Amino acid sequence: MFGYIIKRIFSMIVTLFFIATITFVMMHSIPGGPFTRERALPEAVEKALNEKYNLDAPLWEQYVDYLKDLSTGNLGPSFQKPGVTVNDMIGQGFPVSAKVGLIAVAFILIIGIPIGIISALKQNTAIDHIVMVLATIGVTIPSFIIGTFMIYLFAEKLGWMPAGGLSNWKTYIGPVVSLAGFSLAFVTRLTRSSMLEVLRQDYIRTAKANGLSRISIIGKHAMKNALIPVVTYVGPMVASILTGSFVVEKIFAIPGMGKYFVESVTNRDYTVIMGMTLFYAAIYIVMVLLVDIAY
């Protein structure tokens, strides 16, 4: 196992190198630059900015400098926010997004997996039909619809929670439910279908024939294999949820990573785009590694 993990870590580093290279090339291939505006800056000002950030250097030199900075963990300065680095933005935004995301992930796993198992065990009953209807609704309704509805009903009409911010525990309800909605429904459906497939296998019939209890069959034999597809989905899901959703963060006025990422795209802030893309890729790759270890 240790040797396998070392190989995977080396593979992760190579993958991140290629992601950094591709992102760098794509950003510098886009027409215009980070200081391109509808109202053009004075030529002298734009020249001074390009010199300050070394953007007037040959592309290969910029690339080498970028890799040198990456090797030390420095993701570079923001071109649009003087005195602010990409590391600062991630340091400010990620803990906020991750806190909301972790609660959403726990909500998904604690509710989605048990409900999926119960639905499979109660196949074709009223409970199963209700669960499947709710899961189908959850898969089809976008997060911004859920978020808008929760603000309208629970914040505006009933006054049970604030409309935005993260001032107390009530303020987490809206963004957590909005973030978790699709994944909760998907995990429930995936768990149910996987459990139904496993329960039809010969080794489950053998376990029943040997007189094992229902709890032992489900807990010890069926769940291990039934949860493999769920674990496969949960890894990338965690990476996506932890790094935040711009739509949900915008609706609930949450200062997370989604806000910075969208602003960087709008402002052509190259270093922020590249840094946050690389950060997300790193989390995604780590989660895939953890999924493989869980297998």
Side-chain angles (χ1 to χ4, degrees), residues 151-165:
I151 289 177
Y152 173 76
L153 180 61
F154 296 108
E156 298 297 330
K157 293 296 182 181
L158 299 178
W160 291 356
M161 66 181 194

Side-chain angles (χ1 to χ4, degrees), residues 36-49:
T36 302
R37 299 286 188 276
E38 290 184 8
R39 294 182 61 184
L41 293 172
E43 186 177 345
V45 173
E46 186 171 351
K47 182 179 179 182
L49 288 171

